Amino acid sequence: MFQKSGTTSVFRAFCLLCVTALPGVQRILLFFAVEYLFGLSLLGRFANDISIVFMVGFFTAVGWSSMIMIRVPQCEGPERLRTLFSMGRFALMWLVPAFAALFVLGKFGIVFDPLLSSAVLGAWSCFMLFRRFFLAIKSYTVLLAAELLLLVSIPSILWLFRQYPEKVSYLCFAVPCAAISLSGAVIALLKLFKTRVGIFNSQPGASLRGFEFGLNNFVSGGRTLLLTPLAVHLAGDAYGGLLGLINSVLGVVLLFPRTLSQYHLPDLSRLVMKGENESFKRHLEVFRKQVFVMLAVICTLASLGWYILGMTTYGSGILVEGAAGIFFVMLLALTVDQAVIVEANSLMVRELSSLMLKVNLGSSLFLLLLLLVPFVLTAAPLRSMYLILAAYLISNILRSAWLVRRARSFQ
């Protein structure tokens, strides 16, 4: 019995690691395949639109899926599915103004293809709800199958419809996300109909909390996504494409701290609900040590990987002037950001979204102030890139220090 239980635990941990890494792997595959088939300039335009889609998606997907991660573990039986649909209803309501925002940005030339960007936004938003639900109930094998299906679909659709480069880059991601989400929704509805209960349940304060979590993620995670459009418009398509590739690679390795986050979050949520403060603090300490060790390993392996890439034929073809400096500044900035994931989670499970919002808004406003420098100076492309990244690094240091100080006052 013990041996069987141990084997099951190892398998579940392996599945969790896979499902956390796969979204980043999918993005790397998508970006590198688009660059390989259609070139760095087209990738720059595509990365511009995708970055903006993911920024807008913080309101339509990330905020509400965060609520799913917090509230679904507190439910049992059919109430879990009803909570999923209740959160999904709020998320879908936000898609209408989000689509409108993309078309407005398209009118100003900020989004290159608002129609296909809207398709990606809608499909990805639904998939995020599907994904976070299975993470919340710790059903990793089903989610792993869905993620692998998405991984296989991206290069397959790209290759089959490569004669339409301007469209297939978007649709190879949107179509499988929509198909998987729709299939999951149909199965969930059939299960609810068998139990003869309603589709939705009461979620007090969910509309406000979901919006606050979305806004929090927008002003925190949106800062990273903002860099690629800025690079495209201030330093050119080639630098925008390079930054998109770097962010996709670093996004994968930095998903591992988020693996720990998604593993610990349901347990932290239950401890808060039960009022077990001492157990909660011990859990946070274990979580924090794991994050620090993991970040040290990630920085070492990422640096080694960059060195190896530079020696390959492919690497020499895409590494424009100053690429190494851009990579290492981004690695440092993202590491600083991920180092406080424990503090962010400790506030999230208490639903202290307004406090997090103050920190994220303050640091984002500081970033926007610093970003006025490259706009005013009209420097050469590489210098503009360094000014953008310096502003990002400084604002991340400020945010992390501020978040640690505020979170510890509640522990």
Side-chain angles (χ1 to χ4, degrees):
M1 179 69 72
F2 177 79
Q3 205 169 30
K4 182 179 179 181
S5 176
T7 304
T8 303
S9 298
V10 170
F11 179 71
R12 282 169 58 83
F14 172 75
C15 288
L16 174 61
L17 192 64
C18 290
V19 299
T20 308
L22 276 172
V25 175
Q26 292 155 5
R27 203 169 302 178
I28 284 183
L29 179 63
L30 176 59
F31 277 34
F32 275 86
V34 169
E35 190 280 329
Y36 177 78
L37 291 172
F38 311 126
L40 198 58
S41 292
L42 190 143
L43 172 64
R45 293 166 62 88
F46 172 66
N48 173 85
D49 285 5
I50 289 299
S51 296
I52 293 171
V53 163
F54 288 151
M55 278 193 283
V56 177
F58 283 122
F59 289 102
T60 62
V62 178
W64 305 108
S65 61
S66 297
M67 290 296 294
I68 288 173
M69 288 289 290
I70 293 170
R71 295 202 174 182
V72 166
Q74 299 174 1
C75 304
E76 298 291 340
E79 289 303 306
R80 289 178 167 184
L81 289 175
R82 297 180 71 198
T83 300
L84 167 65
F85 281 110
S86 297
M87 297 303 172
R89 176 177 55 180
F90 290 119
L92 295 178
M93 284 169 54
W94 276 92
L95 278 176
V96 177
F99 290 155
L102 289 177
F103 278 93
V104 170
L105 292 174
K107 289 292 183 182
F108 289 98
I110 299 173
V111 172
F112 294 111
D113 195 324
L115 180 61
L116 290 177
S117 295
S118 297
V120 173
L121 176 62
W124 179 68
S125 297
C126 293
F127 187 76
M128 278 294 291
L129 299 174
F130 172 93
R131 172 181 169 75
R132 292 294 181 91
F133 175 76
F134 281 99
L135 284 172
I137 64 173
K138 297 191 174 185
S139 181
Y140 304 134
T141 51
V142 174
L143 183 55
L144 179 59
E147 295 284 8
L148 288 173
L149 179 59
L150 179 56
L151 181 68
V152 172
S153 299
I154 288 171
S156 301
I157 296 173
L158 265 177
W159 178 255
L160 288 172
F161 299 97
R162 62 189 181 280
Q163 65 269 36
Y164 307 105
E166 299 287 344
K167 299 184 183 300
V168 71
S169 304
Y170 299 84
L171 294 177
C172 71
F173 186 71
V175 170
C177 278
I180 293 169
S181 303
L182 181 61
S183 301
V186 169
I187 293 170
L189 283 171
L190 290 174
K191 286 191 173 184
L192 276 180
F193 289 152
K194 287 181 180 179
T195 61
R196 300 180 182 275
V197 296
I199 298 175
F200 307 110
N201 61 9
S202 175
Q203 292 293 327
S207 57
L208 177 60
R209 291 288 180 268
F211 173 76
E212 288 177 346
F213 278 131
L215 189 57
N216 263 310
N217 282 282
F218 174 76
V219 296
S220 58
R223 294 176 308 130
T224 306
L225 295 171
L226 178 65
L227 301 181
T228 299
L230 280 175
V232 169
H233 293 285
L234 291 178
D237 290 348
Y239 277 110
L242 174 67
L243 191 58
L245 288 175
I246 289 173
N247 281 340
S248 66
V249 173
L250 292 180
V252 170
V253 295
L254 290 173
L255 278 172
F256 291 104
R258 294 175 196 170
T259 305
L260 289 174
S261 172
Q262 292 168 354
Y263 177 79
H264 287 293
L265 198 60
D267 295 327
L268 290 172
S269 179
R270 280 190 286 269
L271 289 173
V272 167
M273 183 183 66
K274 294 177 181 178
E276 298 179 8
N277 292 330
E278 291 304 315
S279 297
F280 180 78
K281 290 178 182 179
R282 287 195 297 270
H283 206 114
L284 286 182
E285 284 304 315
V286 172
F287 184 11
R288 186 175 292 108
K289 289 177 183 177
Q290 291 171 343
V291 168
F292 287 158
V293 170
M294 187 169 284
L295 286 175
V297 173
I298 283 170
C299 289
T300 303
L301 293 179
S303 301
L304 180 62
W306 181 262
Y307 175 75
I308 294 171
L309 177 65
M311 296 190 297
T312 64
T313 305
Y314 180 82
S316 61
I318 65 168
L319 300 184
V320 296
E321 183 187 4
I326 293 169
F327 174 82
F328 284 109
V329 173
M330 278 302 300
L331 177 61
L332 177 59
L334 289 171
T335 302
V336 169
D337 183 67
Q338 290 296 303
V340 294
I341 196 169
V342 176
E343 283 71 22
N345 278 12
S346 71
L347 295 175
M348 183 185 296
V349 293
R350 293 186 177 98
E351 299 193 17
L352 294 170
S353 49
S354 58
L355 191 151
M356 291 173 61
L357 187 56
K358 291 177 184 177
V359 174
N360 289 328
L361 274 175
S363 57
S364 296
L365 289 173
F366 183 63
L367 171 63
L368 293 176
L369 184 64
L370 293 176
L371 286 173
L372 290 176
V373 177
F375 273 102
V376 171
L377 290 184
T378 59
L382 180 57
R383 184 170 294 179
S384 294
M385 282 297 302
Y386 283 143
L387 288 171
I388 291 169
L389 295 177
Y392 179 62
L393 174 59
I394 293 168
S395 69
N396 273 9
I397 293 171
L398 172 68
R399 174 185 176 270
S400 295
W402 192 359
L403 191 61
V404 168
R405 183 178 177 183
R406 296 309 303 267
R408 287 184 177 174
S409 65
F410 287 91
Q411 291 179 16

